[in-house]
Amino acid sequence: MKVLVIEDDPGIIEVVSLCFQLRWSGTNVISAESGNKGVGLVETESPDVVILDIGLPDMDGYGVLREIRRFSDVPVLMLTVRGEDTDVAKGLELGADDYITKPFSHIELIARVQAVLRRAQGLPVTDEERPFTSGKLSVDFNRNEVLLDGEPIKLTSTERKLLYYLIRNEGRILSHESLLTKVWGDTYVDARDLLRVHIQHLRQKLEDNTESPSIIVTEHGIGYKFIRPTTS
Ligand code: CA
């Protein structure tokens, strides 16, 4: 398990690290002391859970959360100060999964993290997903249904996962590493050939011309980007 702590107070980072060391062995705790660095690490490190402080030197935790939610549905626990209920409400409204109030006990922290992870894993992610429709492409994640010009397209579960992640991040360049980690898991981080093959299959199913793809485009040396198909 990988936990990212975005917090400029080294004391808190130490407390969190120690807590996992003692109570959840095998957890890798990484940290960022600024919001920008934190957002970057969510993308490059794909943590399983993010613990996010509101008071940060470069931008506040809400801004960080907004940035994270543009491309990731990683569970986020906000760190708040006791008695500031508005902080909590605002954080949850922006897509935080839960909050924990400073100062907190080890037991409390672990319990909260376990709870958000359980919720994140327990819920079929697709339940909350609105269907995606643009131009000739329409994807209903709840029903696992992909329509192209109104005709159902059969996708494998891997292709579906890949397409899902691409669509969720439409317009953003996704690195090979982040796609491989997100769709296949940490141990596949270097399997670029595997990714290329599946991208090719998806293109064969979705693109008019696989030689010059317009929906799943290649960013040379970096990764791929999903471009919303336009009505032609
Ligand atoms: Ca702080």
Side-chain angles (χ1 to χ4, degrees):
M1 220 240 326
K2 195 187 279 180
V3 177
L4 168 63
V5 188
I6 307 176
E7 161 70 282
D8 57 330
D9 179 347
I12 299 280
I13 294 172
E14 211 181 305
V15 167
V16 173
S17 304
L18 186 67
C19 173
F20 281 98
Q21 226 175 72
L22 293 174
R23 295 180 181 267
W24 199 327
S25 62
T27 300
N28 178 13
V29 177
I30 54 174
S31 63
E33 72 287 349
S34 74
N36 267 318
K37 195 179 163 207
V39 173
L41 285 180
V42 171
E43 192 172 11
T44 55
E45 295 285 331
S46 304
D48 297 291
V49 61
V50 174
I51 298 172
L52 172 64
D53 189 38
I54 293 180
L56 292 166
D58 54 341
M59 55 169 136
D60 65 24
Y62 308 118
V64 176
L65 185 55
R66 252 187 229 111
E67 289 295 311
I68 291 174
R69 283 290 173 258
R70 281 185 195 175
F71 66 96
S72 167
D73 52 7
V74 61
V76 174
L77 261 172
M78 302 285 292
L79 276 178
T80 60
V81 178
R82 199 167 297 283
E84 311 261 332
D85 288 345
T86 49
D87 285 2
V88 174
K90 192 171 175 190
L92 296 176
E93 193 188 303
L94 287 171
D97 296 86
D98 204 349
Y99 67 95
I100 188 156
T101 308
K102 291 193 271 193
F104 47 83
S105 69
H106 283 185
I107 293 172
E108 215 179 326
L109 176 64
I110 295 289
R112 293 283 173 137
V113 169
Q114 279 172 338
V116 292
L117 283 174
R118 239 191 336 262
R119 275 201 300 265
Q121 288 156 0
L123 283 178
V125 187
T126 50
D127 258 16
E128 293 182 330
E129 288 302 327
R130 274 170 289 128
F132 171 91
T133 302
S134 183
K136 60 182 182 175
L137 180 65
S138 149
V139 180
D140 185 334
F141 292 105
N142 285 325
R143 299 181 184 168
N144 280 334
E145 197 175 56
V146 179
L147 301 176
L148 196 66
D149 285 322
E151 291 293 325
I153 303 280
K154 258 189 141 26
L155 297 182
T156 65
S157 61
T158 303
E159 289 163 357
R160 212 160 34 227
K161 260 172 112 174
L162 186 56
L163 180 63
Y164 167 78
Y165 189 53
L166 283 161
I167 288 178
R168 281 296 308 272
N169 295 284
E170 66 166 278
R172 279 179 69 95
I173 302 172
L174 295 170
S175 66
H176 301 116
E177 288 78 359
S178 85
L179 282 163
L180 283 160
T181 315
K182 196 76 184 179
V183 177
W184 282 272
D186 286 345
T187 49
Y188 288 85
V189 66
D190 292 316
R192 290 198 185 181
D193 288 339
L194 179 75
L195 177 60
R196 195 174 307 127
V197 168
H198 282 86
I199 290 280
Q200 193 55 25
H201 289 165
L202 263 183
R203 282 174 172 163
Q204 279 157 3
K205 293 176 182 181
L206 302 177
E207 300 273 4
D208 290 331
N209 178 3
T210 53
E211 297 304 312
S212 145
S214 62
I215 301 174
I216 302 170
V217 301
T218 301
E219 297 288 333
H220 287 288
I222 307 173
Y224 299 93
K225 182 161 78 176
F226 179 86
I227 307 282
R228 178 178 279 265
T230 50
T231 329
S232 45

